[in-house]
Amino acid sequence: MALTKRERHIYAAGNTARGYRTFYDSVLEGIGRIYYLSGVVEGITSPIIESIGKEMGRKIEQVEWIHSPFENGKYDGVILHDWKVAIMDSSYPRLYRPQAPGVIEIHVNLQTALNVDLLTPYAVQIAGWFEGIDKKSQEAYAAYGEALRIHDEWEAPYIENLDREKADQVTEELKGLLFAGEPLNKTAHVRRMYLGAATPQGPVDHIMKLTDHLDKRYFIKGRPGSGKSTMLKKLVAEAQKQGLDVEVYHCGLDPHSLDMVILPEKSVALFDSTAPHEYFPSKPSDEVVDMYERAITPGTDEKYADELFDIKARYTQKMKEGTAALAVAQELRDQLNAIYIEATDQQRLKAVAQAIMSRLARM
């Protein structure tokens, strides 16, 4: 059994074809105390999250970084699993459902570090930035929505030529390899998050960081509509029957679809290894499962080549439009962040971070 990774990198929220969607409820399940940083913008909260995570991370074994889908290098949160504590950004547009305010959720209002007098002259501009961010975000979601519709066109020829019995056979083979032992006498814990995210810099994922320590990795190849996500959903259902914990990674474009499954107790990962997250085996234990070769009628690529070329071009264009809109939204966020950072008393922020770390250290 491989050792648990000390640091993990995930996405819990995404800019998807169905809008801004999160899995915070699942990611934070079981966390006993959550510090929500509020009252400011992410340009202020992310550095605090990073500083606390790095400092406290030296004292514990498991640190999980929750990356922001709005800007690479920024964080939506950090989870200190040994203490069951999370430090989270609650600035717009992140929304959280309260469980026990003051007990589980500790709200830390960072407005106390702001010099409001410095912000007042920019009130109209700030409102305009928020409006622009929302507008450009919605444009991105609309473009991704259109890309998903085109993706359905892309899937159609392969679904039409999919031999479902052969696809089921692949699934059954994997079940036999993964679940050969006796079921565990416990309830499976299922944790849901994203495989990656659509960001202003394009699609980003952390697949290799999440899986490079595992004993076994299955690289699932194929085409849109060749049964990859369906197979992963069936494997998740079987793992639950067997009492095995499951990490379920949803597609960053379509949260209804699955792109990766990790079985921690088996030290196994299975993931969709096609663009935009295409990887190839690099360890002797890595294995390719090619759904096109196993379950699609030979010659399908060639038969629909012209049609598929047009579909792929239209899909790529819509994805580029979505990325471009997110890039403009990021520019507006950067301008907004700059104004707030300029109006912030950095010493007070450091004091807030230190107070949280002192409280954690006493745990």
Side-chain angles (χ1 to χ4, degrees), residues 62-276:
Q62 294 185 31
V63 179
E64 189 169 52
W65 296 97
I66 303 174
H67 288 254
S68 167
F70 302 121
E71 189 166 356
N72 289 347
K74 292 284 196 300
Y75 299 102
D76 277 352
V78 63
I79 300 178
L80 310 171
H81 281 284
D82 301 53
W83 296 335
K84 296 188 176 181
V85 167
I87 317 296
M88 302 297 298
D89 183 352
S90 66
S91 64
Y92 170 83
R94 303 159 188 87
L95 298 173
Y96 304 95
R97 184 178 64 196
Q99 298 178 64
V103 181
I104 293 178
E105 298 97 359
I106 312 296
H107 289 271
V108 181
N109 188 350
L110 299 181
Q111 283 187 355
T112 57
L114 286 179
N115 184 336
V116 179
D117 291 337
L118 294 178
L119 289 177
T120 301
Y122 298 96
V124 174
Q125 201 166 357
I126 289 170
W129 279 325
F130 274 113
E131 184 179 349
I133 290 167
D134 185 66
K135 179 182 177 182
K136 285 299 173 181
S137 297
Q138 294 304 321
E139 286 181 13
Y141 304 149
Y144 291 142
E146 186 62 20
L148 183 59
R149 189 194 66 75
I150 296 170
H151 197 272
D152 290 341
E153 292 182 44
W154 198 346
E155 291 181 346
Y158 296 107
I159 292 174
E160 187 178 333
N161 287 275
L162 174 67
D163 187 324
R164 285 173 172 75
E165 287 187 7
K166 289 181 178 178
D168 289 342
Q169 184 180 341
V170 177
T171 303
E172 292 304 315
E173 288 174 8
L174 287 171
K175 283 183 182 179
L177 292 169
L178 297 172
F179 311 116
E182 290 293 317
L184 300 181
N185 187 26
K186 68 179 181 65
T187 301
H189 178 240
V190 179
R191 192 168 186 245
R192 297 182 182 274
M193 59 211 91
Y194 283 103
L195 177 79
T199 78
Q201 287 74 41
V204 177
D205 69 75
H206 296 290
I207 294 176
M208 293 296 103
K209 289 179 182 177
L210 287 164
T211 66
D212 63 3
H213 66 293
L214 298 175
D215 293 341
K216 184 72 177 179
R217 299 187 297 185
Y218 292 94
F219 293 64
I220 305 173
K221 302 291 184 178
R223 308 289 188 275
S226 59
K228 302 185 297 294
S229 178
T230 299
M231 179 171 68
L232 290 176
K233 289 176 180 178
K234 290 179 179 179
L235 294 175
V236 169
E238 185 63 28
Q240 289 181 267
K241 284 185 186 177
Q242 299 288 328
L244 287 166
D245 294 342
V246 195
E247 294 175 8
V248 181
Y249 294 81
H250 292 249
C251 171
L253 178 65
D254 180 8
H256 293 175
S257 182
L258 303 189
D259 273 353
M260 181 164 75
V261 170
I262 292 179
L263 305 172
E265 292 151 316
K266 294 284 187 179
S267 192
V268 171
L270 308 96
F271 56 90
D272 182 332
S273 184
T274 59

Side-chain angles (χ1 to χ4, degrees), residues 4 25 40 42 100 109 122 138 146 184 188 208 242 256 273-275 294 296 308 314 325 329 334 341 347 354-355 361:
T4 302
D25 284 350
V40 288
E42 59 198 8
N109 188 350
Y122 298 96
Q138 294 304 321
E146 186 62 20
L184 300 181
M208 293 296 103
Q242 299 288 328
H256 293 175
S273 184
T274 59
R294 294 290 304 272
I296 300 292
L308 292 169
R314 288 187 287 118
D334 289 344
I341 291 170
Q347 290 305 117
Q354 191 57 53

Side-chain angles (χ1 to χ4, degrees), residues 308-326:
L308 292 169
F309 180 84
D310 173 68
I311 290 171
K312 185 175 181 180
R314 288 187 287 118
Y315 172 82
T316 301
Q317 178 58 34
K318 286 299 174 183
M319 292 299 293
K320 286 181 178 178
E321 289 176 14
T323 299
L326 288 182

